[in-house]
Amino acid sequence: MTDLATRVAPTRAPLLRRAAPALLGYAAVRALGLVVLAVWSAARGKNAFTLLTARWDSLWYTRVAELGYGYEVRLPNGDVHSSLAFFPLLPWLERLLHAVAPLSYAGAGFVVSLVASLAAAAGIFAVADRVYGPRAGVCAVLLWAVLPVGIVQSMAYSESLFTALAAWSLYAVLTGRWVGAGTLAALAGLTRPVGAAVVAAVWVAGAVSVRRGRDASVSFGRERGTRHAPGARDDEHAPAPRPGASVAPYAPGRRRALGMLLAPLGAAGYVLWVGHRTGKGPLGYLDVQAGWRNGFDGGYAFARFVADKFTSVPSALAGSGLIAGVALLIWLYVTGVRARQPVELLVYTGVVLALALCASSYFGSKPRLLMPAFPLLLPLARALARPRTSRSALLMAGLAVAAAVYGAFWLNGSGPP
């Protein structure tokens, strides 16, 4: 055997080293957003840190971290806002960090979000790099950073934490790390209700892997004139055994099954606990959400909200913008389908889109609810990865400035609910 026959392809740099440009770019965009927010807030006599850590949902999370569950607000119209609507992972992390560091609960939430946003950026890069290469990975991270509501990534909210867990769970599925994927999916399910999207991605990808493994084993058995035992080598990502090593024929299937079993435990566990605590059984969490006027109506309420915008000329412009935005989201998703994105990404994105657009929740929150749907950015990332680096950098710089200004304006106004 010659040297040419034994030569192997050069090894790639470690993932985090490949992700370094994306993470540096992401940190620069977020730093710019925070600086602009601080200057804008000071000019208006407001405190930027308070805007990031002590308003809206941030207050509910810190209250759970400090006092536990059980707090309720009864509104004059009869609605009951309960802290049980907020999943526990972020408050747990806030409580842990408060216990080990000289930070308030609000400060702990801010630190958790900063670290989680970097982890999310790394996870988004890992997924995009795996599917389309490192240039697309960098562009995907920067596009996620310059979203108009990107300032939420630096708030003491759960969006960054959830996106980090979701992205790394999807990457684990893409690389055949089923137990890790299931564990991360379980943690995502303890973070937000949309954790169901990660669970669905793991389950569907697992089912597809089983089917492919069976088809491959049957095909192999036919070629050899014998039927291969179903599941014996049904993990398409499993590495080939080393020469002389013993093979545990059903180990890959067990790991996949364990990952699929772990995936729903976080969300299911919390929902069942809420049902037990409220005394209303498995559907108790839905009653809690109903107290917040949250529910799933197939998009009827959102459609009415958009239609009501066309009652006057000024608001009709906003209505047209909403329709254009929804059309863009659908186009990006269809583009991903046509580009044959991995099934786990398509399932995850589809569920996130459905839950965000078809829920009857407060409509001003929909942009941030869509933030975890980062695979929608992959078609744009591929397009941006083609031109020269200087052009892409110039475009990203302009978007970063626009996002920073808009985020400061938005957060100093009504801001995200």
Side-chain angles (χ1 to χ4, degrees):
M1 185 176 292
T2 66
D3 290 339
L4 288 176
T6 58
R7 186 177 299 170
V8 296
T11 58
R12 302 178 74 190
L15 177 60
L16 289 181
R17 185 180 300 174
R18 298 199 307 275
L23 295 179
L24 289 173
Y26 177 80
V29 172
R30 291 271 45 86
L32 175 63
L34 292 176
V35 169
V36 173
L37 174 65
V39 173
W40 193 300
S41 302
R44 293 176 58 88
K46 296 183 179 180
N47 185 288
F49 186 74
T50 300
L51 296 178
L52 292 168
T53 64
R55 297 175 74 188
W56 307 295
D57 289 4
S58 298
L59 291 174
W60 287 91
Y61 283 121
T62 56
R63 188 174 286 116
V64 172
E66 183 177 5
L67 304 174
Y69 287 103
Y71 180 77
E72 290 182 348
V73 175
R74 296 185 178 272
L75 304 182
N77 64 355
D79 290 344
V80 178
H81 289 183
S82 169
S83 61
L84 292 171
F86 297 88
F87 278 51
L89 186 57
L90 177 57
W92 286 348
L93 293 176
E94 290 176 343
R95 181 180 297 178
L96 175 63
L97 191 54
H98 170 77
V100 301
L103 293 170
S104 65
Y105 290 103
F110 180 66
V111 172
V112 169
S113 290
L114 289 183
V115 174
S117 66
L118 286 171
I124 292 170
F125 174 86
V127 171
D129 173 56
R130 177 79 181 182
V131 179
Y132 295 125
R135 285 178 62 87
V138 172
C139 291
V141 170
L142 293 179
L143 284 170
W144 192 68
V146 301
L147 290 174
V149 294
I151 191 64
V152 175
Q153 297 164 18
S154 300
M155 296 180 67
Y157 271 44
S158 59
E159 272 74 16
S160 290
L161 178 61
F162 174 79
T163 304
L165 295 168
W168 283 108
S169 179
L170 293 171
Y171 178 74
V173 174
L174 288 169
T175 54
R177 297 173 172 88
W178 292 100
V179 176
T183 302
L184 291 167
L187 292 173
L190 284 171
T191 308
R192 296 189 63 80
V194 75
V198 192
V199 176
V202 173
W203 278 2
V204 172
V208 169
S209 178
V210 170
R211 179 62 181 270
R212 288 176 179 171
R214 287 177 177 174
D215 290 345
S217 63
V218 170
S219 175
F220 178 76
R222 287 173 178 171
E223 291 176 2
R224 295 291 300 274
T226 180
R227 180 109 175 175
H228 194 359
R233 288 290 296 168
D234 57 0
D235 191 331
E236 62 178 330
H237 299 295
R242 298 186 304 275
S246 61
V247 178
Y250 292 96
R254 289 197 187 105
R255 289 194 295 271
R256 180 177 50 235
L258 179 57
M260 295 173 70
L261 179 65
L262 289 170
L265 294 184
Y270 182 68
V271 168
L272 292 175
W273 178 80
V274 170
H276 174 73
R277 183 181 176 108
T278 60
K280 296 183 179 180
L283 301 181
Y285 183 76
L286 297 181
D287 289 338
V288 171
Q289 286 286 5
W292 287 80
R293 297 293 180 97
N294 292 335
F296 189 87
D297 62 1
Y300 175 73
F302 184 44
R304 287 192 57 184
F305 175 78
V306 175
D308 290 342
K309 294 294 182 181
F310 290 91
T311 57
S312 64
V313 174
S315 63
L317 296 176
S320 300
L322 289 173
I323 293 175
V326 172
L328 175 62
L329 293 173
I330 295 173
W331 178 78
L332 288 172
Y333 185 75
V334 171
T335 301
V337 173
R338 290 178 175 174
R340 297 185 178 181
Q341 283 185 9
V343 64
E344 45 268 53
L345 300 187
L346 295 176
V347 170
Y348 167 77
T349 308
V351 176
V352 174
L353 278 176
L355 292 178
L357 296 179
C358 298
S360 59
S361 57
Y362 175 61
F363 304 107
S365 65
K366 291 191 182 296
R368 69 176 179 86
L369 296 180
L370 288 164
M371 189 178 297
F374 67 88
L376 289 174
L377 302 173
L378 295 185
L380 299 177
R382 291 184 69 189
L384 284 173
R386 293 169 187 156
R388 291 181 302 179
T389 304
S390 57
R391 292 182 180 177
S392 297
L394 185 61
L395 176 61
M396 288 297 180
L399 291 175
V401 172
V405 172
Y406 180 76
F409 167 78
W410 188 41
L411 203 56
N412 275 275
S414 60

